[in-house]
Amino acid sequence: MHTIATLNSMKARGEKIASVTAYDYCSAFAASEVGIELILVGDSLGMVIHGHDSSLPVTIHDMAYHMRCVKRGNNKALLMADLPFMSYYCESKSLENAAVLMREGAQMVKLEGGAWLAESTRLLTERGIPVCAHMGLTPQSVNHLGGYRVQGRDPEKRQAIIDEALVLQDAGACIILIECVPEALGEELTRALDVPVIGIGAGSATDGQILVWHDLLGLYPGKKAKFVKNFLEGTTGGIQGALAEYVRQVKSGEFPDAKHSYA
Ligand code: KIV
């Protein structure tokens, strides 16, 4: 069974961490069988499962339901679940809602934001709930960000992301997930932090990569981000083959290449 200690020692050894989202029994089973170390029950389910145009409508009850399904299919991966929009607006809410997901089988929770999450991160960590902080493009803030855009392009914003990640690491965050930033920022962040940095659209230098299940298999009909790659295309062996190829390309550093990264 993979744990946070597994991910820490992978970072120390320079071995890339392969991660994917899953929302049900079969996808969790397939991902864990193929050697994925970290499964995220992501609130992206609002878009790829429920068909909303953002993750904002997702509730803690939705997350609990999908967490329960994934837990039954998983054998080896570390299980992380998203706290959905407005479920962690204050420290006590974050504790209450993280407990719901942990009772369903999550082994850690993910929150979106920067330094303002420090108190919740500390509180959860002290109460035995490991925390991943999701930074860069934070989809729950899509309205504030003005769309799904690359973050951290200007020097001030780039420095702010690094400084706030350090604050969250000090508060106890044991993974930083960084989405949709220039490759150089992904690299700098990975060097600056002791904890594993998992990237999505953050270049190949991060300690690991994550993709949304439906993007990895080319199933989502909506607009595709630059970092999305369909691993079903050009591989044999169906879904298992595509997942295995994703793991291989993450481990070898072939994915993401320049075509799937932001310069
Ligand atoms: O909800 C999700 O699937 C995520 C990924 C984009 C990392 O947070």
Side-chain angles (χ1 to χ4, degrees):
M1 196 74 189
H2 297 302
T3 62
I4 290 156
T6 314
L7 307 190
N8 286 333
S9 57
M10 288 176 77
K11 175 168 178 129
R13 286 200 304 275
E15 184 187 341
K16 299 280 185 187
I17 299 159
S19 179
V20 70
T21 65
Y23 315 100
D24 61 17
Y25 171 81
C26 287
S27 54
F29 183 83
S32 113
E33 283 303 293
V34 89
I36 293 282
E37 284 99 9
L38 175 67
I39 290 178
L40 168 68
V41 182
D43 62 355
S44 51
L45 68 85
M47 298 173 81
V48 299
I49 303 284
H50 298 170
H52 296 297
D53 60 3
S54 78
S55 58
L56 272 64
V58 176
T59 66
I60 191 70
H61 306 292
D62 296 328
M63 293 305 303
Y65 169 77
H66 288 281
M67 185 64 243
R68 200 147 58 232
C69 303
V70 164
K71 157 89 178 139
R72 293 186 195 121
N74 177 50
N75 290 316
K76 296 185 208 103
L78 178 66
L79 292 181
M80 173 158 87
D82 267 333
L83 279 175
F85 180 64
M86 282 302 140
S87 68
Y88 52 100
Y89 60 81
C90 67
E91 282 114 59
S92 60
K93 273 283 159 202
S94 69
L95 201 53
E96 193 182 304
N97 285 316
V100 172
L101 300 180
M102 298 296 281
R103 287 196 186 100
E104 299 294 359
Q107 293 164 310
M108 64 186 302
V109 295
K110 177 161 80 60
L111 291 74
E112 294 184 7
W116 71 269
L117 291 175
E119 275 322 301
S120 289
T121 301
R122 192 167 290 115
L123 188 70
L124 291 168
T125 304
E126 282 169 356
R127 288 350 178 239
I129 302 177
V131 170
C132 168
H134 182 154
M135 304 184 71
L137 171 57
T138 46
Q140 291 173 16
S141 304
V142 60
N143 294 302
H144 178 68
L145 298 174
Y148 298 101
R149 301 160 184 273
V150 183
Q151 302 296 307
R153 278 217 195 269
D154 70 73
E156 270 163 46
K157 294 226 171 88
R158 172 195 172 117
Q159 195 53 48
I161 290 176
I162 294 173
D163 293 346
E164 295 192 34
L166 286 165
V167 168
L168 292 172
Q169 175 178 265
D170 282 350
C174 48
I175 298 180
I176 301 292
L177 190 148
I178 183 80
E179 177 165 356
C180 208
V181 296
E183 192 164 17
L185 174 52
E187 185 175 354
E188 202 175 335
L189 193 62
T190 306
R191 267 194 277 109
L193 294 174
D194 298 326
V195 298
V197 175
I198 309 289
I200 174 164
S204 60
T206 54
D207 299 308
Q209 300 292 329
I210 184 164
L211 276 183
V212 168
W213 176 270
H214 295 68
D215 287 341
L216 193 156
L217 299 175
L219 296 173
Y220 187 63
K223 194 168 173 259
K224 279 174 197 49
K226 188 182 184 197
F227 55 79
V228 165
K229 179 169 175 180
N230 175 357
F231 284 84
L232 257 187
E233 248 166 34
T235 52
T236 54
I239 290 175
Q240 286 286 356
L243 283 171
E245 181 59 11
Y246 168 65
V247 172
R248 191 193 70 73
Q249 289 194 21
V250 168
K251 300 271 175 199
S252 68
E254 273 167 70
F255 179 76
D257 55 11
K259 219 171 88 190
H260 297 94
S261 305
Y262 301 98

